[in-house]
Amino acid sequence: MAEKMADKTAAAESRRIVLGITGSVAAYKAAELARLWVKAGFTVDVVMTDAACRFIAPLTLQALTRRPVWTQMWQNEQPVGDGMQHIALSRGAQAMVIAPATADFLARAAQGRADDVLSALCLARECPMFVAPAMNRQMWTHPATQRNIARLRADGVTVLGPDAGELACGEIGEGRMLSPEAIAAAVASESGEEKLLAGHRVLLTAGPTFEAIDPVRGLTNRSSGKMGFALAQAAAQAGAEVTLVAGPVALPTPTGVTRIDVVSAQEMADAVFAQAKRADIFIGVAAVADYAPAAPVTQKLKKETNETLTLTLRPTVDILAELAQRAPCVFRVGFAAESQDIVALGEAKRQRKQLPLLIANRAQDAINADDNEVVLLDDDGAHPLPRMEKTLLARELIKEVAKRLKTKPSKANG
């Protein structure tokens, strides 16, 4: 087990991205981009131009990445290899991403200039390169910029964006840098991430449900939806066509994912059953309410002094169990959040709901947390995974699902 954990740690450390930042107001977004990659288990080496340092301090990026930030060609502190960081930094990297990329930098990169550490790295790289432009709309549409973009594309550089909307200068139009989430998803999709689920259609549920008592009150739980949304993103990055049925949560829709918003357990069930005919993988991550008020009222209940309120509850539809009858060919994955005996209780749930794979965790450790520790349960027993960030865990779980899709059907699945 120790060897397996060490292998996973080494694999995470080997995933490295070089993030180049140039002199744009959008440089502040690069901090969030670096944070997203670090959270997902990447090592991030940041390289900044002189102009970029006027918009955001290198110390900010150093704190986020826990790595030295490179700003000068002849930087002597903590040299890489033989000190030729303008070459060495790109060796072994999964991708080089320039975000934001100004009009000036795009011009110098298109010309093959090498007059600072970042432009030299672009010439010396042995990895895919991405640029995320950020500039005024007139600068973006200028023929010179468009010629430079065409030249970069012809040289194999992937151009991400820009987006349209309100710009920092107050004008409206194309020129905004894409969101950090969109850039991270695009880089993952294009830079060699394994397409383990290419050709598959994945249906997921995430978040809590809300069961109305009256127009303003209801029964719910503290599920944040973070694990389900991370899995949706990981499945999309693995090449799947993903539909996410989400309970009431305030989370952004993952890039490349189709989202259906619902509130109650019945609404979630209806959405799942309607979409199941198109899916070949179902992952039930949502914390669906087991019970709902039997007779919700249409007017707000008034509090009566010193009187108790009795609610009659009815069981809600069991989505996982019902799906086994409605769509037996769908590969079904369940989650079990238990407060104790997670392996025994999780395995009982797996058998009861005829699941080839169930992922169990301690509810008190996972709810609203950014990391999680789970145990995978299947016909071969219990397989614990170490605690890790949910975004990184989601990638590992997608790998486990893909691995099981290649094997013989589960006994629990008939």
Side-chain angles (χ1 to χ4, degrees):
M1 183 63 199
E3 292 180 0
K4 185 179 290 188
M5 291 176 65
D7 290 343
K8 289 183 182 294
T9 301
E13 291 176 349
S14 69
R15 300 164 68 225
R16 187 168 66 86
I17 287 177
V18 176
L19 172 59
I21 305 174
T22 67
S24 164
V25 174
Y28 76 92
K29 295 182 182 179
E32 175 63 11
L33 184 56
R35 190 192 70 83
L36 286 174
W37 274 322
V38 170
K39 187 177 177 182
F42 284 92
T43 296
V44 181
D45 282 316
V46 176
V47 183
M48 301 177 66
T49 64
D50 286 340
C53 296
R54 293 179 176 269
F55 288 93
I56 186 170
L59 184 60
T60 300
L61 280 304
Q62 181 173 318
L64 290 170
T65 63
R66 303 179 183 89
R67 306 273 291 177
V69 174
W70 299 96
T71 58
Q72 301 295 328
M73 181 78 80
W74 311 115
Q75 191 165 326
N76 293 322
E77 298 164 356
Q78 298 180 331
V80 175
D82 56 8
M84 296 185 181
Q85 61 267 25
H86 66 287
I87 298 173
L89 277 176
S90 73
R91 298 299 185 256
Q94 182 172 322
M96 180 180 296
V97 184
I98 315 302
T102 61
D104 175 69
F105 184 82
L106 293 174
R108 291 193 292 121
Q111 294 165 16
R113 300 275 293 276
D115 49 0
D116 64 8
V117 63
L118 183 56
S119 58
L121 266 172
C122 292
L123 287 185
R125 77 183 192 280
E126 289 183 344
C127 61
M129 177 173 161
F130 300 78
V131 294
M135 64 195 73
N136 169 266
R137 62 183 180 86
Q138 297 282 28
M139 296 172 72
W140 170 248
T141 58
H142 194 283
T145 301
Q146 292 306 304
R147 284 196 301 271
N148 293 331
I149 287 292
R151 179 68 265 166
L152 289 170
R153 284 183 171 137
D155 289 343
V157 175
T158 300
V159 181
L160 305 177
D163 211 344
E166 184 176 356
L167 306 176
C169 60
E171 297 181 1
I172 305 293
E174 277 192 296
R176 288 179 56 170
M177 187 176 105
L178 292 182
S179 71
E181 293 81 5
I183 293 172
V187 172
S189 177
E190 299 291 337
S191 64
E193 292 279 321
E194 282 191 279
K195 305 301 181 185
L196 298 174
L197 295 182
H200 288 284
R201 293 171 175 171
V202 177
L203 176 63
L204 299 100
T205 62
T209 64
F210 181 90
E211 313 303 325
I213 296 172
D214 64 17
V216 297
R217 303 182 183 92
L219 303 177
T220 188
N221 59 68
R222 292 167 46 229
S223 172
S224 66
K226 292 177 181 177
M227 190 72 250
F229 275 64
L231 275 165
Q233 183 69 85
Q237 291 173 354
E241 178 184 328
V242 181
T243 299
L244 173 63
V245 181
V249 294
L251 294 174
T253 304
T255 302
V257 172
T258 300
R259 177 173 177 172
I260 300 173
D261 286 311
V262 298
V263 176
S264 68
Q266 188 60 56
E267 289 177 1
M268 183 170 284
D270 291 342
V272 167
F273 298 150
Q275 296 293 322
K277 65 186 78 170
R278 298 186 64 253
D280 49 11
I281 303 169
F282 173 74
I283 308 177
V285 194
V288 185
D290 294 321
Y291 294 92
V297 298
T298 58
Q299 300 296 324
K300 179 183 175 182
L301 292 171
K302 297 297 182 181
K303 179 180 179 181
E304 301 295 340
T305 306
N306 298 325
E307 288 192 9
T308 60
L309 175 66
T310 301
L311 291 177
T312 301
L313 304 179
R314 57 170 177 79
T316 59
V317 60
D318 189 326
I319 296 175
L320 274 171
E322 181 71 17
L323 198 60
Q325 307 303 318
R326 292 179 179 240
C329 294
V330 173
F331 185 88
R332 287 162 288 106
V333 180
F335 270 69
E338 306 289 353
S339 59
Q340 59 184 352
D341 300 329
I342 66 171
V343 172
L345 293 175
E347 178 59 20
K349 178 177 179 178
R350 187 183 80 89
Q351 292 291 340
R352 187 170 65 254
K353 300 195 178 185
Q354 304 177 58
L355 300 173
L357 176 63
L358 184 133
I359 300 159
N361 61 262
R362 280 169 48 91
Q364 55 268 48
D365 293 341
I367 291 178
N368 283 318
D370 290 327
D371 57 5
N372 199 1
E373 182 176 355
V374 303
V375 178
L376 278 60
L377 301 171
D378 60 15
D379 287 341
D380 295 324
H383 315 280
L385 293 180
R387 176 170 290 277
M388 63 184 87
E389 292 276 1
K390 287 181 177 177
T391 49
L392 185 57
L393 176 60
R395 292 174 181 268
E396 294 300 319
L397 293 178
I398 289 300
K399 291 177 184 177
E400 295 291 341
V401 169
K403 185 191 307 180
R404 286 162 175 78
L405 285 174
K406 298 178 181 179
T407 62
K408 63 183 180 180
S410 162
K411 297 173 186 174
N413 200 24

